[in-house]
Amino acid sequence: MIAFQTRRTLLALCLPLLLALGGGAGCTRILVASEANAIEENPGARTFARRVADESIEIKAVVNMHAADEAFDDAHLVVVSYNGYVLIAGQIPEETLKGKATAVVRQLREVRRIYNELEVAAPSSAMTRTSDAWITTKVKSWLVGKPDTPGLRTKVVTENGVVYLMGMVTAEEADRIAAMAADVSGVQRVVRLFELIDAS
């Protein structure tokens, strides 16, 4: 960890020089000299660029839905993106909006898969949303508190009592997380939207 932090610090110092001088030979030599060990990739971790892309997807999706049809103004929309896997949940006033929502999100760059869980119903109440937030907190707290569970690689979204689980996990981790979430009081159903990764 110390070597990695040192490498990051050197990279931060060298980046302005690279941009100003238009070359990177000097910084490359410094970085190579600072750490001889290989940098291992974590298959379950999102890159910084991927996090930024996910945030962009979430913002653009909601804005573009409202721009596509004024009927979305009467809907309760929840859009969450994790590594390009996009969940659309909430309540809409009419069935036709479900297809429109998918079409809008499909046009966005970086979207890899879409899960449309919208339901035709009145927007959830403030009490329901408070309960949903509490369920999410309980599930997330359990995940983060367990050393054998990838809490930091799991996104928990609760909508109207339904818990949606996203993230990059192994099949075994997915089973364990889903089973735990199903045991939390107030959870009506658990939907697994994981991107499965290789355990090796």
Side-chain angles (χ1 to χ4, degrees):
M1 176 62 82
I2 295 175
F4 179 68
Q5 291 296 341
T6 302
R7 191 179 180 89
R8 287 180 59 184
T9 302
L10 287 170
L11 182 58
L13 293 172
C14 285
L15 190 55
L17 285 173
L18 286 171
L19 297 176
L21 302 176
C27 280
T28 301
R29 283 193 292 272
I30 293 172
L31 289 173
V32 170
S34 71
E35 182 177 351
N37 298 328
I39 299 175
E40 295 184 6
E41 291 289 335
N42 182 349
R46 286 186 298 172
T47 64
F48 176 75
R50 183 68 261 181
R51 290 173 185 267
V52 171
D54 284 334
E55 291 179 9
S56 176
I57 288 170
E58 293 171 0
I59 295 170
K60 289 177 181 177
V62 174
V63 170
N64 291 357
M65 282 183 212
H66 284 284
D69 196 316
E70 292 182 355
F72 280 113
D73 294 343
D74 298 321
H76 169 58
L77 300 171
V78 176
V79 179
V80 179
S81 179
Y82 195 101
N83 205 41
Y85 280 44
V86 182
L87 165 67
I88 312 169
Q91 300 79 42
I92 49 177
E94 53 191 71
E95 183 67 31
T96 56
L97 294 180
K98 188 167 185 175
K100 288 184 179 180
T102 298
V104 166
V105 174
R106 186 176 289 123
Q107 293 175 358
L108 299 176
R109 295 180 61 187
E110 306 290 343
V111 171
R112 300 170 57 217
R113 184 170 295 180
I114 301 171
Y115 297 101
N116 191 329
E117 298 288 329
L118 288 170
E119 60 178 351
V120 179
S124 57
S125 66
M127 183 177 293
T128 298
R129 294 180 198 180
T130 299
S131 174
D132 288 342
W134 176 233
I135 290 171
T136 295
T137 299
K138 288 190 289 185
V139 174
K140 192 66 179 176
S141 296
W142 187 92
L143 290 174
V144 172
K146 294 290 184 179
D148 62 338
T149 304
L152 298 179
R153 289 189 280 118
T154 305
K155 181 76 173 179
V156 181
V157 182
T158 308
E159 181 58 35
N160 210 18
V162 179
V163 173
Y164 300 95
L165 300 171
M166 307 175 76
M168 292 180 283
V169 299
T170 65
E172 187 273 332
E173 289 171 335
D175 290 340
R176 188 166 64 246
I177 294 167
M180 180 284 308
D183 286 339
V184 172
S185 61
V187 175
Q188 297 181 16
R189 184 164 56 96
V190 174
V191 179
R192 302 176 2 162
L193 308 178
F194 292 118
E195 178 179 357
L196 298 181
I197 59 177
D198 193 343
S200 60

